[in-house]
């Protein structure tokens, strides 16, 4: 095997992995119990290729979750740049996070393993860093009082992944976000 052939194969393998993860993300959002054969079909790969990258269903679920969180945490700057207000960027970013987490909750036991908990714990720092950017922008804009801890804001916003995934839930989420911003306009109280 030549170096060129090996490099081409590695690129194809990387493309296949991304295609599988993207297909899994879409299909898990629709049905957490979707057969893996359907994921392979949507990704345009054979079952053997899927299982070479993700030997178990849990491996695929964790791979999709990790990919989603990495992608989301990298978007904080883009979301801020796209909106005329930091508050609007904050809301969009948290609505996207809540959609990912709703999918995660639908995946049930697969995300309660030791490997999943390790992955979820590892995602805390990058998510907190992204939220810090959003909070800092909101403070600079005057939408949030200074001094709020980004980890506290994540916990406060966690209601979003508990609202119903329908129009009524979206309306309830918007009402609750408005209440959150009302509260965040006051400085945090000392513990």
């Amino acid at each position: 095997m030549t170096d060129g052939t090996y490099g081409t194969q590695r690129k194809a393998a990387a493309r296949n992995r991304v295609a599988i993860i993207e297909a899994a993300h879409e299909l898990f959002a629709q049905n957490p119990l979707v057969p893996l054969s359907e994921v392979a079909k949507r990704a345009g790969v054979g079952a053997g290729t899927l299982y070479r990258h993700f030997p178990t269903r849990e491996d695929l679920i964790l791979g999709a979750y990790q990919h989603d969180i990495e992608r989301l945490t990298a978007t904080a700057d883009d979301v801020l740049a796209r909106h005329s207000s930091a508050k609007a960027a904050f809301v969009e970013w948290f609505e996207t996070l809540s959609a990912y987490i709703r999918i995660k909750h639908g995946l049930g036991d697969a995300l309660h393993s030791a490997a999943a908990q390790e992955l979820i714990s590892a995602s805390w720092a990058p998510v907190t860093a992204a939220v810090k950017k959003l909070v800092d922008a909101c403070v600079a804009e005057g939408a949030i009082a200074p001094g709020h801890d980004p980890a506290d804001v994540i916990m406060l916003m966690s209601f979003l992944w508990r609202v119903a995934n329908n129009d009524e839930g979206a309306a309830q989420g918007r009402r609750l976000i408005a209440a959150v911003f009302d509260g965040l306009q006051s400085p945090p109280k000392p513990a």
Side-chain angles (χ1 to χ4, degrees):
M1 182 180 304
T2 66
D3 287 341
T5 303
Y6 181 71
T8 301
Q9 288 175 339
R10 287 182 53 100
K11 287 178 186 172
R15 276 192 310 273
N16 287 342
R17 181 179 175 82
V18 170
I20 293 165
I21 287 172
E22 292 291 334
H25 169 83
E26 291 172 22
L27 292 170
F28 288 154
Q30 297 166 16
N31 174 10
L33 301 176
V34 67
L36 296 187
S37 59
E38 191 64 31
V39 174
K41 182 178 175 183
R42 172 77 60 96
V45 301
T49 298
L50 184 143
Y51 286 110
R52 267 193 302 283
H53 288 281
F54 303 100
T56 68
R57 181 178 193 80
E58 179 183 8
D59 292 331
L60 179 55
I61 290 168
L62 295 178
Y65 175 76
Q66 181 177 19
H67 180 74
D68 287 346
I69 295 300
E70 288 171 356
R71 183 172 43 191
L72 180 65
T73 57
T75 65
D77 291 326
D78 294 337
V79 172
L80 284 164
R82 209 172 47 245
H83 287 278
S84 60
S85 84
K87 183 177 176 180
F90 178 103
V91 170
E92 178 188 318
W93 194 90
F94 267 101
E95 286 177 342
T96 303
L97 175 64
S98 70
Y100 288 164
I101 291 175
R102 269 193 230 100
I103 292 169
K104 178 185 89 113
H105 283 293
L107 297 174
D109 292 338
L111 289 174
H112 292 293
S113 68
Q117 292 310 306
E118 185 177 311
L119 176 62
I120 291 166
S121 294
S123 69
W124 186 253
V127 169
T128 303
V131 171
K132 182 178 182 340
K133 288 179 183 182
L134 295 161
V135 167
D136 289 348
C138 286
V139 167
E141 184 177 88
I144 294 177
H148 290 286
D149 184 321
D152 292 346
V153 172
I154 294 169
M155 295 302 291
L156 184 61
M157 295 299 291
S158 68
F159 72 85
L160 277 172
W161 39 93
R162 299 292 183 199
V163 299
N165 194 17
N166 56 31
D167 291 342
E168 289 175 16
Q172 181 183 35
R174 285 189 293 276
R175 288 191 308 273
L176 292 169
I177 289 170
V180 166
F181 271 97
D182 287 347
L184 290 174
Q185 288 175 345
S186 299
K189 294 187 172 129

